[in-house]
Amino acid sequence: MLSKLSSSSVASIASRTAYTCSWSRPLAQSDPELAAIIAKEEHRQRHGLEMIASENICSQAVRDALASRFTDKYSEGYPGARYYGGNQFADENELLCQKRALEAFHLDPEKWGVNVQPLSGSPANFSVYTALLQPHDRFMGLDLPHGGHLSHGYMSAKKRVSATSLFWETMPYHLDPKTGLVDYEELERVVPVFRPKLIVAGATAYPRCYDYARMRRICDSVGAILMSDMAHISGLVAAGVTDSPFDYSDIVTTTTHKTLRGPRGGLVFYRKGVKGYTPKGKKIMYDLERKINGAIFPGLQGGPHDNTIAGISTALHEASTPMFRDYASQIKKNCRRLADELLARGYDLVSGGTDNHLILLDLRSKGIDGARVERVLEHASITVNKNSVPGDLHPFIPGGLRIGTPALTTRGLKEDDIAKVAEFIHRGVKIAEQVNRSNPAAAKSLPKFFELLKVNPPAELVALREEVEAFAASFPMP
């Protein structure tokens, strides 16, 4: 057959075949250098204990969606109103995700809408501020050292750290230092003076539930919008195992990759329909949908990540199952057991315990900091993150650790397994204390502490790592 083709035709076929072959080669063949890095990360996760409260392990279905052909598509705009052609299936994908988002959180589509295009939680929050606030309008959020998120308006005494504090005037509220709970009394005193246009109920390191009804009353006292950021607890909310912000909020934002166990993305829920009535009985309608959609596109983003929307969609489908409700319930059981085990070993916990998926361990009474213990535990294949606790003045060498149970629960750990994990953590803290005592230079200098662990790790740390990795490897990786 080839003998009947011209030389140029043969060359063209060979060229096309070469392109096709290169496209279909697996990563290990086409890019072994990158494949090796990915393999190392796979090994790290499989043989370690992932306890960062904002991390989880998504399902094979979610990863299949992320690797789908939707990766290739541009779909600027919204269903039925795209800038490019060829988006009929992108429309179906996005509409299905919206439908599932409302169903997962048991919301009436006549009263709630959702935008599924935000790239993550911070962009979702920023889109709400952009939509509903004018430049230099005022809003309030929980202070970062007290468990709030950067996107809730954090600024230090010397610098406007978050972009939200650059474009808007922000004021934090705090935890009660005695109880470790949100200080609603302080908030009630400050709100009439500061008169914010919006208040954020939500946190990134708060182990208790918000009193959403009280937050609603505080907002109503000054006519403020209540925005709840449920990024950390959205999976628990969907499962019905924690308090829902939807009954009291005007706006609810969330990431999709924490307790919800999806890919990295964001959602913005907004109220629709009748807001109230005038004294003459005329309907007052919510006007949030147009503003929020416009802020996300074209205000802040271009084309959405359609493959991520597909991954979110199937994660929401999973979150609507009885199996997921059991999973979410087990997250809380495991976290309570972790809190109890550490309290029994003499540790301080902010608020004294937990109502959700995380604890905030205050190490200051142990004479050690979160940065040093985080690094020791990392060397022992336990991944946590250093975190500020109320009263901290040094955010890069904070006094606490944030520790969560979502990923370990995904791997099948139950309460008795978590008790063993608590002992591993305890041993890690003791090793950090020992290194500080035995090496004054390491006690004074964080870089020298890190260098000592790397160059000459204590025998106890090597033994702990071996035990942890053997223990972790005994549980399946979904």
Side-chain angles (χ1 to χ4, degrees):
M1 178 66 179
L2 288 176
S3 63
K4 298 180 181 180
L5 298 174
S6 66
S7 58
S8 61
S9 296
V10 172
S12 177
I13 292 172
S15 175
R16 290 199 300 270
T17 303
Y19 279 129
T20 303
C21 289
S22 67
W23 290 339
S24 60
R25 288 165 64 197
L27 183 65
Q29 293 180 15
S30 65
D31 192 346
E33 183 179 13
L34 176 60
I37 295 172
I38 292 173
K40 287 188 287 187
E41 174 61 14
E42 171 78 20
H43 183 277
R44 186 193 69 81
Q45 291 190 26
R46 186 178 297 274
H47 291 82
L49 299 175
E50 291 293 321
M51 302 192 74
I52 292 178
S54 54
E55 293 187 3
N56 211 328
I57 304 166
C58 64
S59 68
Q60 183 63 52
V62 169
R63 291 199 290 167
D64 287 346
L66 289 174
S68 70
R69 289 297 181 188
F70 275 122
T71 302
D72 306 329
K73 193 68 191 92
Y74 237 121
S75 60
E76 286 186 345
Y78 290 102
R82 305 289 188 180
Y83 186 72
Y84 300 132
N87 274 300
Q88 60 268 42
F89 304 119
D91 285 1
E92 288 186 22
N93 177 45
E94 187 166 337
L95 290 170
L96 178 62
C97 188
Q98 291 172 352
K99 175 176 176 288
R100 287 178 170 178
L102 297 176
E103 290 174 347
F105 293 99
H106 317 290
L107 301 176
D108 183 347
E110 295 296 319
K111 297 180 179 179
W112 284 92
V114 61
N115 190 304
V116 301
Q117 292 192 9
L119 303 181
S120 194
S122 293
N125 290 344
F126 205 90
S127 72
V128 175
Y129 309 143
T130 302
L132 304 182
L133 304 179
Q134 294 298 313
H136 303 294
D137 274 349
R138 299 174 177 183
F139 78 90
M140 298 183 69
L142 185 63
D143 202 13
L144 183 74
H146 287 239
H149 191 260
L150 276 169
S151 66
H152 298 166
Y154 179 63
M155 57 188 292
S156 70
K158 298 180 179 180
K159 183 179 180 181
R160 291 177 179 258
V161 178
S162 169
T164 53
S165 66
L166 289 174
F167 302 123
W168 298 283
E169 302 304 321
T170 63
M171 177 177 285
Y173 59 92
H174 304 93
L175 304 185
D176 184 325
K178 295 180 181 178
T179 65
L181 304 176
V182 171
D183 191 341
Y184 297 102
E185 288 78 10
E186 177 206 46
L187 185 56
E188 288 169 338
R189 289 193 301 271
V190 171
V191 159
V193 179
F194 188 63
R195 303 196 69 82
K197 190 172 180 180
L198 180 148
I199 302 176
V200 180
T204 189
Y206 185 54
R208 298 298 186 175
C209 297
Y210 259 85
D211 186 340
Y212 294 110
R214 191 166 185 180
M215 292 295 293
R216 177 76 268 168
R217 292 195 299 270
I218 293 170
C219 285
D220 288 345
S221 71
V222 292
I225 298 162
L226 176 56
M227 171 185 139
S228 293
D229 181 347
M230 64 170 188
H232 267 268
I233 61 169
S234 57
L236 307 182
V237 173
V241 299
T242 195
D243 296 341
S244 171
F246 286 100
D247 293 338
Y248 299 98
S249 304
D250 301 300
I251 306 286
V252 178
T253 64
T254 185
T255 55
T256 52
H257 51 273
K258 299 182 177 80
T259 52
L260 197 57
R261 207 162 58 176
R264 295 181 180 277
L267 305 173
V268 178
F269 296 88
Y270 47 84
R271 283 194 180 269
K272 295 170 57 177
V274 179
K275 182 178 182 179
Y277 295 87
T278 67
K280 294 184 178 181
K282 186 178 179 180
K283 292 180 179 178
I284 302 172
M285 308 299 289
Y286 281 101
D287 184 25
L288 300 174
E289 180 173 13
R290 175 185 58 83
K291 294 176 180 178
I292 287 172
N293 286 348
I296 293 171
F297 176 83
L300 295 171
Q301 297 181 184
H305 296 176
D306 295 303
N307 59 321
T308 300
I309 290 174
I312 293 170
S313 185
T314 198
L316 291 165
H317 183 61
E318 293 169 358
S320 298
T321 64
M323 185 179 298
F324 187 88
R325 287 192 287 274
D326 293 341
Y327 160 71
S329 179
Q330 189 63 49
I331 288 175
K332 292 182 64 175
K333 292 177 184 177
N334 284 349
C335 203
R336 283 196 296 267
R337 182 62 177 271
L338 178 64
D340 291 343
E341 293 288 337
L342 291 174
L343 287 170
R345 289 168 173 80
Y347 288 94
D348 297 326
L349 302 182
V350 174
S351 82
T354 179
D355 292 323
N356 53 31
H357 64 299
L358 66 84
I359 63 169
L360 194 54
L361 183 62
D362 188 341
L363 294 164
R364 291 174 298 182
S365 65
K366 302 293 183 182
I368 195 73
D369 58 81
R372 285 173 168 81
V373 175
E374 176 196 83
R375 186 60 61 92
V376 167
L377 292 177
E378 185 176 54
H379 277 277
S381 295
I382 302 172
T383 309
V384 298
N385 67 271
K386 59 184 176 292
N387 209 96
S388 298
V389 291
D392 254 334
L393 300 176
H394 305 287
F396 294 104
I397 311 179
L401 291 178
R402 187 184 65 164
I403 310 175
T405 55
L408 293 191
T409 306
T410 294
R411 294 190 67 179
L413 276 72
K414 298 294 180 63
E415 291 97 321
D416 288 346
D417 305 311
I418 293 296
K420 296 178 182 177
V421 172
E423 179 60 22
F424 290 148
I425 292 172
H426 175 60
R427 287 167 59 185
V429 174
K430 292 300 180 185
I431 291 169
E433 293 173 353
Q434 174 194 335
V435 172
N436 256 9
R437 285 195 303 268
S438 61
N439 193 307
K444 292 181 180 179
S445 168
L446 191 62
K448 289 183 179 179
F449 183 95
F450 291 168
E451 182 182 3
L452 181 62
L453 291 180
K454 185 177 181 179
V455 175
N456 187 26
E460 296 89 345
L461 182 55
V462 175
L464 178 59
R465 181 187 183 102
E466 291 174 354
E467 287 185 51
V468 167
E469 292 190 347
F471 176 78
S474 69
F475 293 92
M477 175 65 77

